[in-house]
Amino acid sequence: MRIKKKNLCVLLLSGIWCFTIISGCGGKAESGTNESLENAPTVDAAEESGEDGTNIGEFSMQDITGETYTQEMFAEYDLTMVNVFTTWCTPCINEIPDLQILSEEVAEKGVNVVGIALDCVDGSGSADKDTVEKAEMLAEYTGASYPFLIPDGSFLNGRLANISAVPETFFVDKEGNIVGETYSGSRSLEEWKKIVETELKGAVK
């Protein structure tokens, strides 16, 4: 029964992806989305979210399992990689298994990885139940154990409000300051390893 249930989950998720590729990605393209961003150049954090060192501030967000996270999560690591994605974005989905491997390999270096599922809230800023369920299936299908957070009402004190293309990744130090560069588009595991090494050197002084 367990195997059948897992297979059913995979089939359902595959169906959702097929549907979103047909009806979602094309409709979202005007906002700036997926495939065209895979090799996009990096953008300095100062250009995207104010000057380098801008503090995230206080917040409270739940992940897709209902666990609550606050700004205190940054204090536990020298550097936190924040990957902002949507459940309908193909490049976002494709890199999740690599981000899971990355999260396991860099944890001992004092680096944490978290995801923020940008489309898990509706127009009023409330959690969208159907999309959260889709994110849950996505986590199961890809084997991701790092948290998938749901944006809060403030969209992380405005940091997420103006994102027009996903995936987008930025880094936060243990004091809650945005540091280094903001990366648009997906990357390979090896590319992310090099990026994390570079950003960690800049964060730890």
Side-chain angles (χ1 to χ4, degrees):
M1 291 296 292
R2 216 169 183 182
I3 296 175
K4 289 181 179 178
K5 183 178 180 181
K6 185 174 181 180
N7 288 340
L8 178 60
C9 176
V10 171
L11 287 171
L12 286 172
L13 190 57
S14 298
I16 289 170
W17 287 348
C18 288
F19 177 77
T20 53
I21 287 171
I22 293 171
S23 66
C25 293
K28 299 284 186 179
E30 292 180 2
S31 299
T33 53
N34 41 49
E35 285 83 354
S36 62
L37 299 178
E38 289 183 334
N39 298 310
T42 59
V43 180
D44 192 80
E47 296 177 13
E48 280 293 316
S49 2
E51 295 183 1
D52 187 28
T54 299
N55 195 276
I56 287 290
E58 296 182 1
F59 65 87
S60 179
M61 290 193 288
Q62 287 190 329
D63 70 1
I64 57 175
T65 69
E67 185 173 349
T68 299
Y69 290 78
T70 70
Q71 66 281 355
E72 295 300 323
M73 71 178 186
F74 299 125
E76 300 174 13
Y77 298 88
D78 291 324
L79 187 69
T80 297
M81 175 180 174
V82 182
N83 177 255
V84 185
F85 69 97
T86 62
T87 59
W88 46 259
C89 165
T90 304
C92 301
I93 294 167
N94 289 343
E95 74 173 349
I96 289 174
D98 281 345
L99 294 181
Q100 172 59 33
I101 296 172
L102 180 72
S103 70
E104 296 168 1
E105 295 187 359
V106 299
E108 61 183 21
K109 298 180 180 180
V111 180
N112 191 28
V113 177
V114 300
I116 298 181
L118 197 60
D119 60 334
C120 276
V121 290
D122 57 26
S124 64
S126 302
D128 183 273
K129 182 179 178 181
D130 291 340
T131 309
V132 171
E133 289 178 355
K134 193 190 302 182
E136 291 172 351
M137 290 191 291
L138 177 59
E140 180 178 354
Y141 181 73
T142 59
S145 61
Y146 62 90
F148 285 3
L149 304 182
I150 301 170
D152 61 350
S154 72
F155 272 73
L156 196 56
N157 293 316
R159 176 57 185 82
L160 310 176
N162 296 318
I163 292 178
S164 60
V166 288
E168 177 175 297
T169 302
F170 61 94
F171 292 85
V172 181
D173 69 12
K174 66 191 316 174
E175 304 298 329
N177 299 312
I178 298 172
V179 295
E181 297 183 342
T182 294
Y183 297 82
S184 293
S186 60
R187 301 290 195 283
S188 68
L189 176 59
E190 292 305 315
E191 287 174 320
W192 279 128
K193 286 181 181 179
K194 292 177 182 178
I195 289 170
V196 167
E197 288 178 7
T198 298
E199 298 298 348
L200 185 58
K201 289 177 183 177
V204 180
K205 299 177 181 177

Short mmCIF file of all heavy atoms in Angstrom, two decimals, residues 37 39-45 47-48 169 171 180-185 187 192 195 199:
data_model
loop_
_atom_site.label_atom_id
_atom_site.label_comp_id
_atom_site.label_asym_id
_atom_site.label_seq_id
_atom_site.Cartn_x
_atom_site.Cartn_y
_atom_site.Cartn_z
N LEU A 37 15.95 32.07 -17.51
CA LEU A 37 16.79 32.58 -16.43
C LEU A 37 17.90 31.64 -16.03
O LEU A 37 18.70 31.96 -15.16
CB LEU A 37 15.92 32.84 -15.18
CG LEU A 37 14.82 33.86 -15.37
CD1 LEU A 37 14.02 33.98 -14.09
CD2 LEU A 37 15.39 35.20 -15.75
N ASN A 39 20.74 30.79 -17.14
CA ASN A 39 22.11 31.30 -17.22
C ASN A 39 22.17 32.81 -17.05
O ASN A 39 23.07 33.47 -17.57
CB ASN A 39 22.73 30.90 -18.57
CG ASN A 39 22.81 29.41 -18.73
OD1 ASN A 39 23.29 28.72 -17.84
ND2 ASN A 39 22.34 28.89 -19.86
N ALA A 40 21.21 33.35 -16.32
CA ALA A 40 21.17 34.79 -16.12
C ALA A 40 22.34 35.25 -15.27
O ALA A 40 22.81 34.52 -14.40
CB ALA A 40 19.86 35.18 -15.44
N PRO A 41 22.85 36.47 -15.50
CA PRO A 41 23.97 36.97 -14.70
C PRO A 41 23.52 37.28 -13.29
O PRO A 41 22.34 37.49 -13.03
CB PRO A 41 24.36 38.25 -15.44
CG PRO A 41 23.11 38.70 -16.12
CD PRO A 41 22.41 37.43 -16.53
N THR A 42 24.46 37.34 -12.36
CA THR A 42 24.13 37.67 -10.99
C THR A 42 23.88 39.16 -10.88
O THR A 42 24.35 39.95 -11.67
CB THR A 42 25.27 37.29 -10.04
OG1 THR A 42 26.46 38.00 -10.44
CG2 THR A 42 25.53 35.80 -10.09
N VAL A 43 23.11 39.53 -9.86
CA VAL A 43 22.82 40.94 -9.60
C VAL A 43 23.24 41.23 -8.18
O VAL A 43 22.92 40.48 -7.27
CB VAL A 43 21.31 41.23 -9.76
CG1 VAL A 43 21.02 42.69 -9.48
CG2 VAL A 43 20.85 40.84 -11.16
N ASP A 44 23.97 42.30 -7.97
CA ASP A 44 24.43 42.61 -6.63
C ASP A 44 23.26 42.88 -5.70
O ASP A 44 22.27 43.49 -6.07
CB ASP A 44 25.33 43.85 -6.66
CG ASP A 44 26.06 44.04 -5.34
OD1 ASP A 44 27.06 43.36 -5.13
OD2 ASP A 44 25.58 44.87 -4.53
N ALA A 45 23.37 42.42 -4.45
CA ALA A 45 22.29 42.58 -3.48
C ALA A 45 21.94 44.04 -3.25
O ALA A 45 20.80 44.38 -2.96
CB ALA A 45 22.70 41.94 -2.15
N GLU A 47 21.66 46.29 -5.43
CA GLU A 47 20.74 46.73 -6.46
C GLU A 47 19.35 46.17 -6.25
O GLU A 47 18.35 46.79 -6.57
CB GLU A 47 21.25 46.27 -7.83
CG GLU A 47 22.58 46.89 -8.23
CD GLU A 47 23.09 46.36 -9.54
OE1 GLU A 47 22.30 45.69 -10.26
OE2 GLU A 47 24.25 46.60 -9.86
N GLU A 48 19.26 44.96 -5.68
CA GLU A 48 17.98 44.29 -5.54
C GLU A 48 17.25 44.69 -4.25
O GLU A 48 16.04 44.78 -4.23
CB GLU A 48 18.21 42.76 -5.54
CG GLU A 48 18.39 42.16 -6.91
CD GLU A 48 17.14 42.24 -7.74
OE1 GLU A 48 16.05 41.97 -7.24
OE2 GLU A 48 17.26 42.60 -8.93
N THR A 169 17.95 33.63 -5.59
CA THR A 169 18.65 33.18 -4.39
C THR A 169 19.50 34.31 -3.81
O THR A 169 20.21 34.99 -4.54
CB THR A 169 19.55 31.97 -4.71
OG1 THR A 169 18.75 30.92 -5.26
CG2 THR A 169 20.25 31.46 -3.45
N PHE A 171 21.66 35.58 0.13
CA PHE A 171 22.31 35.06 1.32
C PHE A 171 22.15 36.01 2.50
O PHE A 171 22.14 37.23 2.34
CB PHE A 171 23.80 34.82 1.04
CG PHE A 171 24.05 33.69 0.06
CD1 PHE A 171 24.00 33.93 -1.30
CD2 PHE A 171 24.28 32.40 0.52
CE1 PHE A 171 24.22 32.89 -2.21
CE2 PHE A 171 24.49 31.36 -0.38
CZ PHE A 171 24.47 31.61 -1.75
N GLY A 180 26.51 39.74 0.19
CA GLY A 180 26.94 39.20 -1.09
C GLY A 180 26.04 39.58 -2.23
O GLY A 180 25.48 40.67 -2.27
N GLU A 181 25.88 38.64 -3.15
CA GLU A 181 25.13 38.88 -4.37
C GLU A 181 23.79 38.16 -4.36
O GLU A 181 23.58 37.21 -3.61
CB GLU A 181 25.94 38.44 -5.59
CG GLU A 181 27.23 39.23 -5.79
CD GLU A 181 27.96 38.82 -7.05
OE1 GLU A 181 27.68 37.74 -7.59
OE2 GLU A 181 28.82 39.59 -7.49
N THR A 182 22.89 38.64 -5.21
CA THR A 182 21.63 37.97 -5.46
C THR A 182 21.77 37.25 -6.79
O THR A 182 22.24 37.83 -7.76
CB THR A 182 20.47 38.98 -5.51
OG1 THR A 182 20.30 39.55 -4.21
CG2 THR A 182 19.16 38.30 -5.93
N TYR A 183 21.35 35.98 -6.83
CA TYR A 183 21.54 35.15 -8.02
C TYR A 183 20.19 34.84 -8.66
O TYR A 183 19.30 34.25 -8.04
CB TYR A 183 22.25 33.85 -7.64
CG TYR A 183 23.65 34.09 -7.11
CD1 TYR A 183 23.85 34.44 -5.77
CD2 TYR A 183 24.76 34.01 -7.94
CE1 TYR A 183 25.12 34.69 -5.28
CE2 TYR A 183 26.04 34.25 -7.47
CZ TYR A 183 26.21 34.59 -6.14
OH TYR A 183 27.48 34.85 -5.66
N SER A 184 20.02 35.25 -9.90
CA SER A 184 18.81 34.96 -10.65
C SER A 184 19.03 33.70 -11.48
O SER A 184 20.06 33.57 -12.15
CB SER A 184 18.45 36.13 -11.57
OG SER A 184 18.08 37.26 -10.83
N GLY A 185 18.07 32.80 -11.46
CA GLY A 185 18.17 31.58 -12.25
C GLY A 185 18.73 30.41 -11.47
O GLY A 185 19.31 30.57 -10.40
N ARG A 187 21.14 26.93 -10.89
CA ARG A 187 22.54 26.58 -11.06
C ARG A 187 22.71 25.08 -10.83
O ARG A 187 21.85 24.42 -10.25
CB ARG A 187 23.43 27.32 -10.05
CG ARG A 187 23.38 28.84 -10.10
CD ARG A 187 24.02 29.38 -11.36
NE ARG A 187 24.31 30.80 -11.30
CZ ARG A 187 23.43 31.77 -11.44
NH1 ARG A 187 22.15 31.50 -11.59
NH2 ARG A 187 23.80 33.05 -11.41
N TRP A 192 26.73 25.88 -7.37
CA TRP A 192 26.28 26.36 -6.07
C TRP A 192 27.35 26.16 -5.02
O TRP A 192 27.50 26.99 -4.11
CB TRP A 192 24.98 25.68 -5.65
CG TRP A 192 23.74 26.26 -6.25
CD1 TRP A 192 22.74 25.59 -6.92
CD2 TRP A 192 23.33 27.64 -6.23
NE1 TRP A 192 21.76 26.47 -7.32
CE2 TRP A 192 22.09 27.73 -6.91
CE3 TRP A 192 23.89 28.80 -5.72
CZ2 TRP A 192 21.41 28.94 -7.07
CZ3 TRP A 192 23.22 30.01 -5.88
CH2 TRP A 192 22.00 30.07 -6.55
N ILE A 195 29.73 29.00 -5.34
CA ILE A 195 29.09 30.24 -4.91
C ILE A 195 29.03 30.30 -3.39
O ILE A 195 29.34 31.35 -2.79
CB ILE A 195 27.68 30.36 -5.51
CG1 ILE A 195 27.76 30.64 -7.03
CG2 ILE A 195 26.87 31.46 -4.82
CD1 ILE A 195 26.44 30.54 -7.75
N GLU A 199 30.58 33.19 -0.98
CA GLU A 199 29.73 33.99 -0.10
C GLU A 199 30.07 33.77 1.37
O GLU A 199 29.98 34.69 2.18
CB GLU A 199 28.25 33.68 -0.36
CG GLU A 199 27.76 34.01 -1.76
CD GLU A 199 27.85 35.48 -2.10
OE1 GLU A 199 28.09 36.31 -1.21
OE2 GLU A 199 27.70 35.81 -3.30
#
